[in-house]
């Protein structure tokens, strides 16, 4: 009896069984990798309880980031300064300003100011400031021109594709280790007269992880 379907079609169910899940997972991979919006959250700028301006304090007054975010080089987390740090100056400067009302109240009661977090990675992502700063990646690469911001907003997508873009080719983002908080230092290849491979301050060459377990531990 002549076969209605040629013999090779017998293998179709097997092929679907084996390849189906692979194709399926590739589609999922493709969606999150290429379609996950690179620009979600860029521009996120929550209202803060006190109109604290980086443009004034870090820009005009030229305060170093580490005066306030003093753990950034030693801890994964970059501490938001306690009210005491503000009161170092504001016990003398602008002591009557209504805009500083919540700061004075916080100082008197000991309750911290409820700053709203701007940058936020999902829990399943491992991120640590330390290795980035000790490799000479500047704050500006990831946070933009904070020194020009009256209200902090998210400047970069903080997406996986964004992390990986730099991890695959970090060279052009590297600067001398003592310039990490300098917002005016231009790391672009046209401007930088800096050859990190010859920097005596570097103990080893940076090699950022691109394997999954580097960031998903
Ligand atoms: C006088 C203290 C002070 C200085 C100096 C300062 N900051 Fe801040 N920073 C704060 C406070 C307070 C907040 C929380 C309120 C806000 O987001 O504006 C903050 C928030 C931030 C945030 C957002 C954190 C989040 O919630 O995601 C970033 C990023 C940041 N600062 C970076 C910098 C950088 C970069 C510099 C140096 C150019 C700098 N800061 C200098 C006090 C300071
Ligand atoms: C090194 C000193 C110094 C520190 C530390 C400091 N400030 Fe200031 N801040 C100033 C000065 C100086 C001005 C006022 C500039 C002017 O004359 O307008 C000011 C202005 C302000 C104003 C505007 C007040 C108004 O009435 O216009 C706010 C709000 C403010 N600071 C919040 C903070 C907060 C919150 C912190 C802590 C995270 C802080 N400052 C830390 C020096 C400081
Ligand atoms: C390689 C990118 C990168 C660099 C460089 C970087 N940051 Fe961040 N920063 C981030 C990310 C990502 C987050 C969000 C972390 C999270 O949610 O776990 C963050 C969060 C913060 C926060 C909020 C508190 C926290 O740790 O979650 C502050 C404040 C901050 N950064 C300040 C700084 C300062 C100041 C510098 C420079 C001295 C700096 N950052 C350099 C990527 C960077
Ligand atoms: C502008 C460049 C740049 C960006 C953006 C960046 N990184 Fe990195 N990252 C580096 C460099 C450079 C190192 C290398 C450190 C070394 O080898 O000394 C590094 C190292 C790391 C490490 C290894 C830390 C360790 O202890 O071994 C982790 C984890 C990491 N990055 C996570 C992230 C995540 C998550 C993001 C995105 C939210 C991110 N990075 C964005 C440049 C960057
Ligand atoms: C350099 C750091 C880094 C590396 C390496 C990395 N990821 Fe991610 N991954 C991230 C960050 C950051 C996010 C969060 C993105 C967001 O919130 O938009 C993420 C998100 C994800 C998500 C959730 C996707 C979504 O859109 O919600 C999956 C799944 C994932 N990663 C899998 C992987 C796999 C598989 C690998 C290895 C091929 C890998 N990651 C390597 C940083 C990294």
């Amino acid at each position: 009896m002549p076969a209605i379907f040629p013999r090779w079609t017998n293998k179709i169910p097997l092929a679907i069984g084996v390849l189906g899940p692979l194709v399926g997972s590739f589609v999922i991979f493709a969606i999150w990798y290429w379609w996950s919006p690179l620009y979600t959250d860029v521009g996120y700028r929550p209202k803060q309880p006190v109109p604290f301006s980086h443009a004034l304090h870090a820009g005009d007054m030229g305060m170093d980031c580490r005066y306030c975010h003093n753990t950034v080089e030693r801890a994964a987390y970059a501490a938001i300064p306690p009210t005491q740090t503000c009161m170092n100056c504001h016990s003398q400067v602008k002591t009557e300003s209504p805009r500083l009302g919540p700061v004075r109240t916080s100082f008197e009661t000991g309750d911290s100011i409820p700053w709203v977090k701007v940058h936020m990675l999902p829990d399943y992502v491992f991120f640590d400031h330390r290795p980035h700063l000790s490799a000479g990646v500047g704050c500006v690469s990831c946070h933009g021109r904070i020194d020009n911001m009256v209200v902090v907003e998210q400047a970069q997508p903080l997406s996986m594709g964004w992390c990986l873009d730099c991890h695959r080719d970090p060279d052009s983002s590297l600067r001398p280790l003592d310039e990490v908080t300098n917002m005016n230092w231009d790391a672009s290849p046209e401007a930088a007269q800096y050859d990190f491979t010859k920097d005596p301050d570097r103990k080893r060459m940076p090699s950022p992880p691109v394997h999954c377990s580097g960031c998903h531990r």
Side-chain angles (χ1 to χ4, degrees):
M1 205 173 103
I4 296 171
F5 296 107
R7 189 165 262 268
W8 62 266
T9 55
N10 291 344
K11 295 213 171 71
I12 287 178
L14 180 69
I16 290 176
V18 172
L19 293 179
L22 285 179
V23 171
S25 26
F26 179 76
V27 168
I28 293 169
F29 174 91
I31 288 175
W32 66 247
Y33 191 78
W34 285 291
W35 280 348
S36 65
L38 254 165
Y39 298 105
T40 37
D41 300 337
V42 167
Y44 175 56
R45 189 168 67 165
K47 189 174 179 339
Q48 298 292 346
V50 177
F52 170 78
S53 166
H54 279 81
L56 174 67
H57 292 83
D60 300 348
M61 290 168 55
M63 290 175 70
D64 190 272
C65 315
R66 289 164 294 196
Y67 180 90
C68 290
H69 304 294
N70 59 0
T71 65
V72 72
E73 285 172 316
R74 344 183 218 109
Y77 185 79
I80 299 295
T83 305
Q84 174 63 58
T85 308
C86 313
M87 291 307 274
N88 290 348
C89 293
H90 288 294
S91 56
Q92 280 114 48
V93 180
K94 294 264 182 188
T95 52
E96 302 298 320
S97 166
R99 309 176 82 196
L100 283 153
V103 178
R104 291 189 294 267
T105 311
S106 154
F107 191 61
E108 281 150 22
T109 61
D111 298 337
S112 38
I113 302 170
W115 301 113
V116 184
K117 199 159 168 19
V118 184
H119 302 79
M120 190 96 77
L121 289 174
D123 287 343
Y124 56 81
V125 180
F126 174 84
F127 179 80
D128 187 331
H129 276 93
R130 271 170 305 188
H132 291 95
L133 299 177
S134 60
V137 181
C139 316
V140 70
S141 296
C142 303
H143 294 301
R145 289 302 297 256
I146 293 272
D147 62 328
N148 294 339
M149 295 181 195
V150 174
V151 180
V152 176
E153 69 175 55
Q154 186 172 322
Q156 296 292 341
L158 310 187
S159 62
M160 176 158 139
W162 174 78
C163 308
L164 284 169
D165 276 350
C166 179
H167 278 205
R168 289 204 192 94
D169 178 23
D171 295 8
S172 60
S173 304
L174 302 177
R175 51 178 70 205
L177 303 184
D178 53 5
E179 302 286 359
V180 286
T181 60
N182 182 351
M183 298 266 127
N184 291 310
W185 201 87
D186 189 349
S188 67
E190 306 82 56
Q193 303 291 310
Y194 172 62
D195 180 356
F196 70 96
T197 60
K198 299 205 174 75
D199 185 342
D201 290 342
R202 279 179 194 277
K203 295 183 183 64
R204 55 179 193 80
M205 289 303 126
S207 57
V210 288
H211 54 272
C212 315
S213 60
C215 302
H216 304 292
R217 300 184 174 185

